[in-house]
Amino acid sequence: MSSAHGARARARIEVTAAIKEEASRQLAAEGAAKLSLRAVARELGMASSAIYRYFPSRDDLLTDLIIDAYNSLGEAAEAVQHTATDPVRRWVTVCEAVRGWALAHPHEYALIYGSPVPGYTAPQTTVPPASRVGLVLIGIVRDAVKGRGVTFPPLAAELRPEAERLAADIAPDLPPQVAAALVAAWAQLFGLVGFELFGQFNRVVEDREPFFRHAVGQLARGVGLR
Amino acid sequence: MSSAHGARARARIEVTAAIKEEASRQLAAEGAAKLSLRAVARELGMASSAIYRYFPSRDDLLTDLIIDAYNSLGEAAEAVQHTATDPVRRWVTVCEAVRGWALAHPHEYALIYGSPVPGYTAPQTTVPPASRVGLVLIGIVRDAVKGRGVTFPPLAAELRPEAERLAADIAPDLPPQVAAALVAAWAQLFGLVGFELFGQFNRVVEDREPFFRHAVGQLARGVGLR
DNA sequence: TCCAAAGCAAGAGCACCGCTCTCTTTTTTG
DNA sequence: CAAAAAAGAGAGCGGTGCTCTTGCTTTGGA
């Protein structure tokens, strides 16, 4: 068993943690593409082949880091979700937390929202951590709907079936129009963050904080919040 | 001189083109990270070291491919920008062209709008090609403003100075409110496309075409188009 | 016209990478 | 206490970007 029985089991946990720690350091410093198992091993003073006792491949290590990144971002969003009561303010606050986390952890952000690492497809285990930010946004809108703080956004007729299916899937208690608008706003939020982070706003947007605040405020109104 | 004088100069152009062609093939097939100079050379039947006579480094080759990708996407957008007269329809059509290009060229899209290749910073030469889609969107809004087809969107007071600076920079003939909303919508468009392309919509949005059409339609209204 | 200069191809080589296999040592377990 | 399982180390394979040296060919000026 891999329980915390012997000293060996404890050592395994420690070494695994040390590997992830060093890998995380390299990820933050140089980015995912320059993360090398050999360099991690070197830094830890072990043979490069020994790493493979803990992570079967580089991709498995990356998967762990991806999950950590999703959880770290999710926590950042969850931590501020109740610091306001007004729906729009709550929405904007959470969006700002997402942006703040992204600016503080650019390589981690690129790892999870940039181009998927080549040939790499994320396993199912990443799905729950990846959903946390979305769930926070859903929660805000849900509370607003309960408190009558939502004007239903318009919905094209052709989108009706998809909106109903989507609402049933992710938030059964939300009106289809709101659910559809929410998903769109969710994607658009990461468009704003990504453009700033990846340099697309260079020489275009200078004073980025108020710009972002205003844009996500409009996003909130697009979902129906007020 | 590097003019088309001798047979040597002509050969250089041909070899350069052949390298880019093969590299483009590999990029489309496997993605940027698996593009290897050695593999390109192998495929072309030349020594790997010979490539360096044409491209000083792998990054220089990638820069060329980035420019090509921007231009290809820009052309796709420009090609459809006049197929409608109604401002909202024009906007949606161009957005659909962007999405269509992205779905048809996922690796090229990832190259230019995914995480920037680590350590790599795009040189100034990429700026004009990178601007083409934005210019198309600006053109649509400009025409709409002239034709009185625009309701000015709201603008937070704190954003006023940035909006004026931004408008002066990218579209002096556009009202600041419109210019600011336009830039935000521009970024949000790529959020929608990226989320679909990079799998974030898996198990969330099923019927993606109407969803996208509706979302970018709302985007157009956010800019003031109607 | 001839000859030096410049351009180009090729091969060997360096330092790195992910990953595998084998061998030895250590710890756990029946 | 012995057998089995786990872990570490080292060598090695095939791959990468990139450099350097060595010849060969085209080019342009005296």
Side-chain angles (χ1 to χ4, degrees), chain A residues 6-8 35-38 42 49 52 57-58:
Chain A
R8 176 152 254 171
L35 191 164
S36 123
L37 290 187
R38 291 182 108 112
R42 210 179 302 130
S49 55
Y52 291 85
S57 79
R58 186 178 179 276

Side-chain angles (χ1 to χ4, degrees), chain B residues 63-218:
Chain B
T63 299
D64 261 46
L65 296 180
I66 285 173
I67 292 173
D68 287 356
Y70 273 129
N71 279 324
S72 171
L73 171 60
E75 277 165 31
E78 288 161 8
V80 300
Q81 67 178 322
H82 294 119
T83 55
T85 51
D86 172 62
V88 175
R89 285 195 73 86
R90 289 183 70 193
W91 175 281
V92 172
T93 303
V94 167
C95 290
E96 284 183 310
V98 169
R99 171 174 178 265
W101 186 92
L103 293 179
H105 307 88
H107 287 122
E108 285 89 336
Y109 184 89
L111 184 62
I112 56 184
Y113 289 110
S115 2
V117 180
Y120 171 87
T121 45
Q124 284 306 99
T125 41
T126 64
V127 172
S131 310
R132 292 174 68 167
V133 170
L135 290 177
V136 169
L137 296 178
I138 290 175
I140 293 173
V141 175
R142 197 198 323 267
D143 292 350
V145 168
K146 277 195 206 135
R148 307 234 182 282
V150 170
T151 322
F152 293 177
L155 184 70
E158 63 164 354
L159 193 57
R160 184 97 233 178
E162 170 66 11
E164 278 169 4
R165 200 206 46 71
L166 184 154
D169 261 28
I170 64 162
D173 50 348
L174 250 42
Q177 304 100 304
V178 177
L182 176 53
V183 170
W186 171 60
Q188 289 164 8
L189 160 63
F190 288 92
L192 290 167
V193 174
F195 260 39
E196 174 171 357
L197 202 61
F198 297 157
Q200 232 85 27
F201 279 167
N202 292 353
R203 302 167 190 280
V204 179
V205 182
E206 294 290 348
D207 205 357
R208 288 163 193 183
E209 205 190 304
F211 179 84
F212 181 81
R213 201 183 354 255
H214 180 257
V216 296
Q218 290 301 102

Side-chain angles (χ1 to χ4, degrees), chain A:
Chain A
M1 273 288 110
S2 63
S3 312
H5 270 72
R8 176 152 254 171
R10 215 175 318 115
R12 177 167 242 284
I13 290 171
E14 270 168 33
V15 174
T16 306
I19 292 173
K20 279 184 61 173
E21 213 170 295
E22 176 57 32
S24 180
R25 225 190 314 276
Q26 290 191 19
L27 171 64
E30 299 270 19
K34 292 201 175 174
L35 191 164
S36 123
L37 290 187
R38 291 182 108 112
V40 170
R42 210 179 302 130
E43 211 64 29
L44 264 50
M46 53 165 68
S48 65
S49 55
I51 298 268
Y52 291 85
R53 299 270 177 213
Y54 298 86
F55 294 92
S57 79
R58 186 178 179 276
D59 278 0
D60 289 272
L61 216 193
L62 271 181
T63 299
D64 262 45
L65 296 180
I66 285 173
I67 291 174
D68 287 357
Y70 273 129
N71 279 323
S72 171
L73 171 61
E75 276 164 32
E78 288 160 9
V80 300
Q81 67 177 324
H82 294 119
T83 55
T85 51
D86 173 62
V88 175
R89 286 195 73 85
R90 289 183 71 192
W91 176 281
V92 172
T93 302
V94 166
C95 289
E96 284 184 309
V98 169
R99 171 175 177 265
W101 186 91
L103 293 179
H105 307 87
H107 287 122
E108 284 89 336
Y109 183 90
L111 184 63
I112 57 184
Y113 288 110
S115 2
V117 179
Y120 172 86
T121 44
Q124 284 306 98
T125 40
T126 63
V127 171
S131 310
R132 292 174 69 168
V133 171
L135 290 177
V136 170
L137 296 179
I138 290 175
I140 292 173
V141 176
R142 197 197 323 268
D143 291 350
V145 169
K146 277 195 205 134
R148 307 236 182 281
V150 170
T151 323
F152 293 177
L155 184 71
E158 64 164 354
L159 194 58
R160 183 96 231 178
E162 171 66 12
E164 279 168 3
R165 199 207 45 70
L166 185 155
D169 262 26
I170 64 163
D173 51 348
L174 248 42
Q177 305 99 304
V178 176
L182 175 55
V183 170
W186 170 60
Q188 289 165 6
L189 160 64
F190 288 92
L192 289 166
V193 173
F195 261 38
E196 174 172 356
L197 202 61
F198 296 156
Q200 233 84 28
F201 279 167
N202 293 352
R203 300 165 192 281
V204 179
V205 182
E206 295 288 349
D207 205 358
R208 288 162 193 182
E209 206 190 302
F211 180 85
F212 180 82
R213 207 188 345 261
H214 180 257
V216 296
Q218 290 302 103
L219 232 40
R221 281 174 194 86
V223 179
L225 267 41
R226 57 197 58 256

